[in-house]
Amino acid sequence: EAELWSARLAFPSPWQMKVITDNADGLPTKFSLHPFSTSEMKISATINKQPTGKDPTPVSKRGQRWYMDYGFIRASAEDYTRPDKSKDRVVESYDGYNSYLLVVDEISRYVWVFLTKSKEPPIDIINVFLQQSGNDEGGLIRTDQGGELARSAAFRQAALDRDFDVEVKPYVVEPTGADSPSQNGRAGIWNNTLANTVQVLLYGTGLS
């Protein structure tokens, strides 16, 4: 009986179980808990977390899983020290672009880059992209937990709705685990490649 009431009361501490009968109606007059019962029940109910792993379940068709990442177009710090987000300079293009959305297809490894003028959720880009390149059977969009993608309700809804055609199935946003950038590595690895490419192009112009 004591263990049953402990579960009903959301497993309070042994001390709370002793005093709760004096302060609440409808309970037995006294609880006699076994000294190890609460500990054993909590241990058995503990969720054993398992890492998701770097590689998810593979897909078989193009467009069934996209890897997406958002980044700023950054230059080195003024003193050319090691990369530091607090000191790096965000470069703005002549047309006013300062960030980009990166999309990688799991099967073909094809890469799309869409320049943006802010890191607002790219709803229009996603709608058009999924309309042109999406899979009619739907699929998954893997991304980190950034506010402009996985944590944006508008972005998740755009992937689910795909309201341009009722015949196609939705995409489900698949966020990575916390502090697990390797789970989105197929997109993240391109950040360095693009950064090096832009730096070479800038260097080749001979500008200061």
Side-chain angles (χ1 to χ4, degrees):
E1 185 183 33
E3 292 182 358
L4 175 62
W5 276 103
S6 177
R8 288 173 176 172
L9 299 171
F11 300 106
S13 67
W15 175 83
Q16 289 174 313
M17 288 292 289
K18 290 180 180 179
V19 301
I20 199 170
T21 54
D22 298 330
N23 298 277
D25 296 331
L27 299 178
T29 56
K30 183 180 180 181
F31 289 124
S32 298
L33 282 170
H34 188 277
F36 300 121
S37 61
T38 304
S39 176
E40 290 175 354
M41 294 178 73
K42 287 184 178 180
I43 292 175
S44 62
T46 300
I47 299 175
N48 294 320
K49 296 182 178 180
Q50 298 291 335
T52 303
K54 183 177 180 180
D55 296 320
T57 304
V59 296
S60 58
K61 297 181 181 179
R62 294 181 59 178
Q64 284 187 322
R65 179 182 279 113
W66 306 105
Y67 291 82
M68 297 188 183
D69 195 16
Y70 229 131
F72 279 112
I73 305 173
R74 295 182 180 273
S76 62
E78 293 183 1
D79 54 0
Y80 301 103
T81 55
R82 294 177 64 85
D84 183 352
K85 289 185 178 181
S86 64
K87 297 192 300 181
D88 292 352
R89 295 165 293 171
V90 175
V91 178
E92 186 171 299
S93 72
Y94 181 81
D95 297 326
Y97 296 102
N98 60 14
S99 52
Y100 61 90
L101 172 65
L102 182 69
V103 183
V104 182
D105 177 45
E106 178 173 318
I107 295 297
S108 66
R109 304 296 177 92
Y110 197 86
V111 181
W112 290 260
V113 180
F114 301 95
L115 295 178
T116 59
K117 296 185 178 181
S118 70
K119 291 191 72 173
E120 294 295 324
I123 307 304
D124 294 337
I125 294 176
I126 292 300
N127 284 333
V128 174
F129 178 78
L130 293 180
Q131 180 180 3
Q132 295 180 350
S133 303
N135 192 309
D136 290 346
E137 298 178 1
L140 299 166
I141 297 176
R142 173 163 284 209
T143 177
D144 58 25
Q145 297 186 26
E148 62 279 348
L149 294 179
R151 292 189 181 182
S152 168
F155 173 81
R156 297 194 304 271
Q157 196 62 44
L160 288 171
D161 285 345
R162 303 186 69 188
D163 52 6
F164 53 82
D165 191 342
V166 295
E167 299 296 329
V168 298
K169 295 182 180 179
Y171 275 85
V172 176
V173 178
E174 184 183 58
T176 61
D179 299 321
S180 301
S182 62
Q183 294 178 0
N184 197 32
R186 297 193 185 185
I189 194 173
W190 280 96
N191 287 326
N192 291 332
T193 302
L194 293 172
N196 292 336
T197 303
V198 172
Q199 288 173 355
V200 168
L201 292 172
L202 291 173
Y203 181 81
T205 62
L207 298 173
S208 58

